[in-house]
Amino acid sequence: MPGVFGKGRICAVAAAPRAAALAEQVRRGLLETRTIELRLDWLRDSGEIDRFIRWIDAQRRGILRPRRATLIATCRRRAAGGKFRGSVAEEMRILREAARAGCGWLDLEIESAEKLAAEDLKSLGAAARLLISYHDFRCTPDLRGVARRLARAGGDGGTAGGAIKIATLAKSYGDAVRVMQTARARRNVVAIPMGELAAPRVLALRAGSALAYAPLAEATAPGQLSLDDLVSLYCAGRIDLRTAVYGVIGNPIHHSLSPHLHNAGFQARRINAVYVPFLVRDLRDFLEARRALGVAGFSVTIPHKETLLKLLDGCDPLAAEIGAVNTVVVRGGGKLFGYNTDYVGVLRALERRISLAGSAVLILGAGGSARAVAFALARAGANVRICARRPARARSLARVVGGEAIERRHLRREFFDAIVNTTPVGMYPHANESPLAAGELNCRLVFDAVYRPRRTKLLAMAERRGIESVSGLDMFVAQGTAQWEIWTGERAPVEKMRRAVVAVLDCEERGKSAAHK
Ligand code: NAP
């Protein structure tokens, strides 16, 4: 069911203190989407507001012609979280001017709408379509009360082809679901679960929200995703009720590369699915909300790989033995079934470079990924030694895989076929750190599970000593494509998925090296 904004469901938000900068943002926004919100309240004074409205008027037969652009004018007052310091009467004057200049929609906050006489609201509604909005930047209150208030303020939207907007801070996935459900089975509701959880902003479109917002410059509300991510990474404009939802749960999560990997696969195979990062602090909150969010499967990362195992309905025997899951499939009746693809990931990364049977391998770290790596290498016939900063953890992991623990002070005396780092040491933003010193690299090959940056300090040191180095990227792509195949039942377009991740890393590493020059 298309919403009242039709195909232009991604709304770019233009907000700047000067008319010229605001106009420039509008030009840029129109390259990506046709719906633009104009935050007139961000303009620094009435002179800039008048100048900008004259510019819109001048462009109404040019780049802002109605077939090409849907403009939503907003002049939100401070009482409703905006920047406009004037009175309700001044706000009305500006919105009327904006409508005359060609803005097809006016976003009027409920605080102002409630102050207007019925005939004033009606005459504003005759000038342009009204989006009556409710914002709560502190919490998500009882939304039935909010809906009643919006209806009382003349904003049920149904009558004059208008719409309502409910934007509240979602502190939990439970809150986010309540916001999203306000859009269910209605064409004229914009539902925005604001806040750091972020993913619900994308998923609200699946629930029927008529719009999702993205800033063209500075964020104008908490947790906004970039326009580029909404358009290109999540293909948010194409999301509908049939879109299958996947994601990665973890904390922290916003810098995960998994959305680039998995969405590239869905796009290449034209599968109606989206993969989003879920910031999860409270596992139960996410698990309770997952059905309403439409989650069909998810990846699991720090710190949930071991805890989640206890909350599953079933588990692949290998993952149960490893004691950690990195992949979950939602099966019939909403049952959760877990797998561990880190296991195949490390094997695919190492097998073609070294013969594992009978080899001596040192694993640094004894956490979630160390468990999968240790099981995989021991099963492949390697003699596994484990070195961790907490020796008791190293001993306990060594015991279950039939290997041995080794203390750091003994490393210089030993020689290994391979050293595998499974600690996060050396990962951005601590790229100048290494889990070992150069003198401790007595081996033929070093594999670093860290893949951000690709060439970690550990790998750079190994290369300088003539030792073969393997980036964690190979394992990342292998474990991720294995997940993708479990979920879709199709062969993964591995090269395309890999290229999507490499493009992000290239860009990031170019940016970082430029910053250091
Ligand atoms: P984890 O469960 O938290 O385990 C981390 C391990 O590293 C623990 O043994 C921890 O020791 C140790 N450690 C942490 N900081 C340390 C430090 N400063 N010095 C020495 N040891 C330290 O994390 P994980 O899930 O195994 O992930 C670890 C790393 O592997 C991350 O960088 C992750 O991105 C990467 N990884 C990569 C892939 C891939 O596909 N390439 C897959 C999975 C993970 P304590 O127990 O004492 O805290």
Side-chain angles (χ1 to χ4, degrees), residues 64-400:
L64 300 184
R65 60 190 180 278
R67 284 168 64 96
R68 193 174 161 193
T70 302
L71 300 179
I72 306 172
T74 306
C75 192
R76 192 164 305 140
R77 296 172 67 238
R78 288 168 76 83
K83 288 186 184 257
F84 188 61
R85 290 170 184 274
S87 64
V88 176
E90 284 167 286
E91 180 186 4
M92 289 313 112
R93 179 193 69 77
I94 290 166
L95 290 181
R96 280 206 178 83
E97 288 295 314
R100 254 196 296 278
C103 291
W105 283 86
L106 304 176
D107 178 329
L108 181 65
E109 64 274 19
I110 188 156
E111 291 81 354
S112 293
E114 284 176 338
K115 289 196 164 70
L116 290 180
E119 58 273 22
D120 288 340
L121 200 60
K122 208 167 154 197
S123 85
L124 199 64
R129 294 168 86 177
L130 292 185
L131 175 62
I132 308 267
S133 56
Y134 171 88
H135 295 84
D136 192 325
F137 294 95
R138 291 158 308 152
C139 65
T140 297
D142 175 1
L143 294 176
R144 283 167 307 188
V146 169
R148 277 197 297 274
R149 245 182 103 187
L150 286 163
R152 264 202 309 274
D156 72 0
T159 46
I164 60 171
K165 175 165 87 184
I166 295 177
T168 64
L169 184 71
K171 293 184 188 163
S172 63
Y173 287 98
D175 283 350
V177 166
R178 287 194 295 123
V179 180
M180 286 158 61
Q181 283 175 342
T182 60
R184 205 171 46 193
R186 294 184 64 182
R187 296 181 64 241
N188 64 343
V189 177
V190 177
I192 310 291
M194 296 188 290
E196 61 173 1
L197 299 181
R201 282 179 172 269
V202 179
L203 303 185
L205 290 169
R206 182 178 183 276
S209 177
L211 290 178
Y213 292 84
L216 279 158
E218 235 179 288
T220 52
Q224 279 175 333
L225 297 156
S226 76
L227 183 59
D228 190 39
D229 280 355
L230 272 190
V231 173
S232 310
L233 178 57
Y234 303 118
C235 294
R238 282 191 237 139
I239 290 177
D240 60 24
L241 196 56
R242 290 181 303 275
T243 304
V245 177
Y246 297 94
V248 52
I249 67 165
N251 178 22
I253 203 63
H254 289 313
H255 290 94
S256 169
L257 291 179
S258 295
H260 295 272
L261 182 83
H262 289 280
N263 285 319
F266 295 138
Q267 287 156 26
R269 291 275 190 262
R270 296 179 186 280
I271 295 174
N272 184 4
V274 66
Y275 184 105
V276 290
F278 289 110
L279 174 65
V280 172
R281 293 205 179 89
D282 175 355
L283 261 177
R284 287 188 189 278
D285 166 47
F286 171 77
L287 292 177
E288 274 165 26
R290 71 175 197 277
R291 282 174 206 245
L293 294 169
V295 175
F298 52 96
S299 318
V300 186
T301 185
I302 298 175
H304 302 305
K305 282 184 180 177
E306 290 162 73
T307 327
L308 190 72
L309 191 63
K310 301 177 199 112
L311 303 172
L312 298 174
D313 298 297
C315 188
D316 178 57
L318 181 62
E321 204 182 338
I322 294 170
V325 284
N326 77 332
T327 312
V328 173
V329 185
V330 181
R331 294 204 168 149
K335 297 241 183 320
L336 300 180
F337 199 87
Y339 295 87
N340 191 311
T341 66
D342 285 338
Y343 182 99
V344 289
V346 70
L347 287 182
R348 283 191 201 156
L350 285 182
E351 261 168 354
R352 57 199 158 97
R353 294 182 166 100
I354 109 172
S355 158
L356 288 168
S359 65
V361 179
L362 171 70
I363 298 174
L364 299 172
S369 56
R371 291 189 73 82
V373 168
F375 268 88
L377 300 185
R379 288 263 176 101
N383 299 308
V384 169
R385 314 282 294 274
I386 297 167
C387 176
R389 66 178 173 185
R390 283 194 280 163
R393 281 199 94 184
R395 282 197 297 276
S396 122
L397 179 55
R399 210 168 26 248
V400 288

Side-chain angles (χ1 to χ4, degrees), residues 301-302 305-306 342 364-370 388-390 393 421-425 427 433 435 447-451 472-477 479:
T301 185
I302 298 175
K305 282 184 180 177
E306 290 162 73
D342 285 338
L364 299 172
S369 56
R389 66 178 173 185
R390 283 194 280 163
R393 281 199 94 184
N421 174 41
T422 71
T423 78
V425 180
M427 186 165 80
E433 293 175 10
F447 170 71
D448 200 338
V450 172
Y451 53 89
L473 180 65
D474 287 7
M475 175 175 169
F476 176 71
V477 172
Q479 60 80 34

